[in-house]
Amino acid sequence: MTNWAILSGIEGNLAAYEAVLADIKRQRQPIEELYILGDAIAAIPESTNVIQRIRSPRPDEPVPQVCQGWWEEQLLILHGLGRTGEPTELIERYGIEMVKTLWDAIPREMVEWVRSLDFGLFELDCLLIHGSSVDVGDELTPDTPAIQMLDRLMRMDANMLFCGRSGLTFQYEIQQGSVTSSITTLDQVTTPQAILVKPRQVIGVGNIGRIPGQATYTLYNPYTNHIEFRTVRYGSGKGFQPLKDKLFPPLNNRLMT
């Protein structure tokens, strides 16, 4: 039986990543695929250790498949390799000093590895991405309107969208229904068209490194669509084993005709 481990937001926290890898090895069902949905790095020198660990999985570990996150995008922008020319968002969020901090944190030889990462990953009917199909910084949450969620799914014709930008664990279900749309131009208005919407889901996979001592990630079976959100304690307060799995009820959002 195939099982996936999906995580995001290591943010240079190697101890958190190691704790999650250890928890993955403890699963009764073997984990065959490991997906890291961006923000493996942050503006700290320890990010280099995380990159090295990701690139050197041990023989008993799945080979990570990694896509770009917000921090990776900001790093590429600083090196003139991003989709925009200026680190405007980085400066607005953290101040001008963060530009040099991020530049110094990641050596040039590792920038090429970051550049090689995909924007997102598509497996079976699942889109795995840091933000959404629109932008790496697009933050989907349980409060995102259903029509916006549907738009992000339909852009890539995905039935399941796994994302990590918000850092939250959530299961957001779009139930079956229909959407009526029309296009208005200066010359005319097209006849409204109804599009049948089949059930789809958006899954927030959690965050590994942001909260010291606590890492959250997601287990998924693509054939049964079974989802588990895992919370792992590590460090001085870890106790003897991970926190018990917590299953969050899905958020149902019906699209009306």
Side-chain angles (χ1 to χ4, degrees), residues 10-254:
I10 303 172
E11 298 182 9
N13 189 335
L14 182 59
Y17 183 51
E18 293 285 8
V20 168
L21 290 176
D23 191 60
I24 287 173
K25 293 176 184 178
R26 285 191 287 263
Q27 300 306 305
R28 287 181 296 176
Q29 295 291 340
I31 304 301
E32 297 183 6
E33 302 292 345
L34 172 60
Y35 297 99
I36 301 176
L37 308 188
D39 279 4
I41 66 171
I44 55 176
E46 291 79 5
S47 296
T48 60
N49 297 328
V50 170
I51 293 176
Q52 291 171 349
R53 184 68 174 88
I54 290 173
R55 298 178 69 180
S56 304
R58 293 167 185 159
D60 60 342
E61 296 172 350
V63 177
Q65 299 186 57
V66 191
C67 65
Q68 291 181 17
W70 187 85
W71 279 109
E72 285 84 8
E73 181 181 64
Q74 300 309 307
L75 178 67
L76 294 178
I77 291 172
L78 295 187
H79 286 269
L81 303 172
R83 286 180 285 273
T84 62
E86 298 294 334
T88 306
E89 191 174 354
L90 178 67
I91 295 170
E92 289 178 349
R93 186 178 293 266
Y94 293 107
I96 189 65
E97 297 82 5
M98 186 59 71
V99 172
K100 185 176 187 305
T101 301
L102 179 58
W103 177 278
D104 292 341
I106 311 297
R108 176 69 194 195
E109 60 267 22
M110 289 186 171
V111 174
E112 286 303 315
W113 176 80
V114 173
R115 186 184 187 185
S116 72
L117 302 179
D118 292 323
F119 177 71
L121 305 165
F122 207 103
E123 299 289 345
L124 301 177
D125 62 345
C126 302
L127 174 61
L128 301 107
I129 200 163
H130 181 70
S132 78
S133 51
V134 171
D135 184 77
V136 72
D138 193 17
E139 188 169 325
L140 304 179
T141 75
D143 296 323
T144 301
I147 193 66
Q148 184 176 333
M149 290 290 206
L150 182 62
D151 171 75
R152 304 313 191 245
L153 286 157
M154 294 184 68
R155 284 172 182 261
M156 297 294 292
D157 194 25
N159 291 327
M160 304 283 289
L161 190 159
F162 293 88
C163 56
R165 178 63 186 152
S166 71
L168 304 174
T169 50
F170 64 87
Q171 184 176 357
Y172 190 117
E173 292 186 350
I174 297 175
Q175 299 179 0
Q176 183 169 325
S178 64
V179 175
T180 303
S181 64
S182 63
I183 300 175
T184 302
T185 67
L186 294 176
D187 299 325
Q188 61 182 348
V189 178
T190 60
T191 303
Q193 294 184 336
I195 302 173
L196 180 64
V197 177
K198 58 186 177 181
R200 303 175 191 240
Q201 293 189 53
V202 177
I203 310 298
V205 302
N207 182 276
I208 296 297
R210 189 173 301 166
I211 302 176
Q214 177 178 305
T216 56
Y217 75 103
T218 298
L219 295 177
Y220 174 62
N221 184 308
Y223 298 106
T224 65
N225 282 336
H226 180 67
I227 293 169
E228 291 186 36
F229 298 120
R230 299 278 297 175
T231 300
V232 180
R233 298 282 187 184
Y234 65 94
S236 59
K238 67 179 182 179
F240 293 100
Q241 53 187 312
L243 219 63
K244 184 171 178 59
D245 303 356
K246 186 174 183 181
L247 299 179
F248 290 78
L251 298 166
N252 296 319
N253 292 270
R254 180 176 295 278

